Amino acid sequence: MTFADWRLEGDWIKNCSCAFGCPCDFNARPTKGYCEGLVGMHITKGHFRDVKLDDLCFCVTVHFPGALHEGNGEAQPILDERASPEQRDALGAILSGENSAEGTLFHIFSLIVTRMHDPIIAPFTFVFDRDGRTARIIVPGVIETEVEPIRNPVTGQPHRIEVVMPEGFEHRMAEVASASISSMGAIAFKTEGTHSSLAHVVQTPQGVAA
């Protein structure tokens, strides 16, 4: 099957309600039995066909009642207000999974989400420092999430750990950190001191390229 030509390269944040280490990355059940969280990206360089996507941001909030592979999830896309109508359509075409090979991130996402809420178009603040394990996404009135290093419970010093996934469909390597989330859109929830993954990714129709 031939898919539209697209590529997204940039900074990737996955924050969720699980304990540090995200059991989903290890094919284990979510810490609390359900998953609430978000993925967000600042596209440093990207395109869909001939539509440039450089410097745009997007975020998707999610809720799954059980393990992700069991499906029945709901999601809400949040798109950068700076995107033109053509760029919004291009992002939607990527996030839909219709232009991704079987077993890749956005294709899998399309199979496990059964309820897609209307997208929100809004201004983004996106701050990202993978090596420092700090990040921030702010979409006023919609989502606020902060990431900081995990702290040693005895010394209070920053604790560093990486997850390497040679065959991962989301990323190849991520710094693990601590997240707080306040989601105020259609999928409303709060977390404090929960999991965060920070990665630099390249996604294509055939999956992770880097």
Side-chain angles (χ1 to χ4, degrees):
M1 183 174 181
T2 302
F3 301 102
D5 173 49
W6 64 268
R7 179 182 173 93
L8 297 181
E9 177 176 355
D11 303 321
W12 181 264
I13 298 175
K14 178 182 72 177
N15 295 347
C16 68
S17 54
C18 283
F20 305 144
C22 187
C24 296
D25 286 344
F26 297 86
N27 291 329
R29 298 195 68 80
T31 302
K32 299 179 180 179
Y34 61 87
C35 176
E36 292 175 327
L38 64 92
V39 295
M41 187 176 192
H42 171 230
I43 305 166
T44 54
K45 186 176 182 180
H47 69 272
F48 179 83
R49 295 195 173 104
D50 60 352
V51 178
K52 295 286 188 181
L53 300 172
D54 299 9
D55 199 37
L56 295 177
C57 300
F58 69 84
C59 184
V60 181
T61 56
V62 299
H63 172 85
F64 291 89
L68 270 64
H69 68 271
E70 295 173 345
N72 296 317
E74 55 182 307
Q76 182 168 43
I78 305 162
L79 305 181
D80 197 327
E81 71 170 7
R82 296 175 300 153
S84 67
E86 292 78 15
Q87 289 173 320
R88 293 174 192 170
D89 288 345
L91 288 171
I94 294 171
L95 295 176
S96 73
E98 295 176 358
N99 290 282
S100 295
E102 184 176 350
T104 58
L105 175 64
F106 297 119
H107 174 259
I108 292 171
F109 193 74
S110 72
L111 299 178
I112 61 177
V113 170
T114 54
R115 182 181 182 188
M116 184 67 72
H117 295 276
D118 290 339
I120 294 174
I121 312 299
F124 268 77
T125 297
F126 196 110
V127 179
F128 185 91
D129 179 358
R130 184 180 65 179
D131 292 339
R133 284 97 71 211
T134 61
R136 179 186 310 119
I137 298 175
I138 299 175
V139 179
V142 179
I143 191 81
E144 295 183 12
T145 187
E146 294 269 355
V147 177
E148 63 179 13
I150 299 167
R151 300 285 174 176
N152 183 295
V154 177
T155 67
Q157 293 299 305
H159 176 67
R160 187 173 189 181
I161 188 166
E162 297 175 347
V163 172
V164 178
M165 305 177 70
E167 298 176 355
F169 57 78
E170 182 183 358
H171 52 68
R172 293 290 186 250
M173 187 280 288
E175 294 278 355
V176 178
S178 173
S180 63
I181 310 169
S182 180
S183 177
M184 299 158 276
I187 304 173
F189 62 94
K190 290 181 179 290
T191 78
E192 189 72 35
T194 55
H195 174 79
S196 175
S197 294
L198 302 180
H200 182 78
V201 303
V202 177
Q203 287 279 355
T204 73
Q206 289 71 45
V208 178

